[in-house]
């Protein structure tokens, strides 16, 4: 099990504030099999792959397939009733499993100022309930630490609630948290 991508979405505007993938992979279209001998051209020779990848990566550090999954899971999170009666603390914010796509599962965490969506590559059998519960606890802890890092970035008087998160400290904190999670 490894965390593949994470998104922080504004609850007010619904726009993504932060999206990042943490898994290196190559799709068939943009991988070595999708290119011919002409550098930068795709299989058919009519699209410059390097330019389109550079343009996409300038906005988010997230692969397109994970970006699609994060948006779909975020839409699912908006549709769900997430408030658990009688829950307090991190349990009150934890939504849990949102949806499954291929070998990936999307999980949600909701706070008053942001929605958090994570995509996890799952190798756990659905009937292994004990392992599922321990993974949920690990994810809940991870996202609560990401929320803490986001809240700390908002303490900057020059930060905007609905603007893309550009804090280098936030990015460094998230990278170290995900690296620790993926090593478990």
């Amino acid at each position: 099990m490894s965390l593949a991508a994470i998104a922080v979405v504004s609850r007010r505007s619904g726009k993504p504030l932060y999206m990042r993938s943490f898994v290196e992979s190559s799709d068939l279209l943009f991988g070595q099999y999708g290119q011919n001998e002409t550098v930068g051209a795709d299989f058919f020779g009519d699209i410059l792959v390097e330019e389109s990848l550079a343009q996409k990566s300038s906005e988010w550090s997230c692969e397109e397939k994970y970006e699609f999954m994060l948006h779909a899971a975020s839409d699912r999170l908006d549709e769900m009733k997430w408030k658990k009666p009688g829950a307090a603390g991190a349990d009150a914010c934890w939504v849990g499993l949102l949806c499954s796509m291929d070998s990936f599962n999307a999980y949600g965490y909701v706070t008053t100022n942001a929605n958090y969506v994570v995509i996890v590559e799952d190798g756990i059998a659905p009937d292994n309930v004990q392992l599922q519960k321990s993974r949920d606890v690990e994810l809940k802890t991870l996202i609560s630490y990401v929320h803490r890092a986001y809240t700390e970035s908002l303490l900057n008087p020059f930060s905007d609630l609905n603007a893309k998160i550009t804090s280098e400290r936030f990015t460094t904190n998230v990278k170290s948290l995900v690296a620790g999670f993926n090593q478990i």
Side-chain angles (χ1 to χ4, degrees), residues 14-36:
K15 294 180 182 177
L17 304 175
Y18 182 83
M19 277 197 292
R20 181 174 209 82
S21 60
F22 298 95
V23 177
E24 293 291 327
S25 67
S26 59
D27 292 330
L28 188 58
L29 177 62
F30 298 116
Q32 64 182 8
Y33 301 108
Q35 294 181 356
N36 59 16

Side-chain angles (χ1 to χ4, degrees), residues 5 30 41 44 138 151:
F30 298 116
F44 300 106
E138 293 168 0
T151 304

Side-chain angles (χ1 to χ4, degrees), residues 107-126:
Y107 294 88
Y109 190 88
V110 177
T111 63
T112 56
N113 57 356
N115 293 341
Y116 299 86
V117 177
V118 295
I119 303 293
V120 175
E121 188 169 13
D122 197 8
I124 299 173

Side-chain angles (χ1 to χ4, degrees), residues 2 5 11 17 25 30 35 42 61 84 93 114 118 153 168 181:
S2 66
R11 291 215 5 124
L17 304 175
S25 67
F30 298 116
Q35 294 181 356
D42 72 348
S61 298
K84 295 180 183 176
C93 299
V118 295
S153 74
E168 192 62 39
F181 178 83

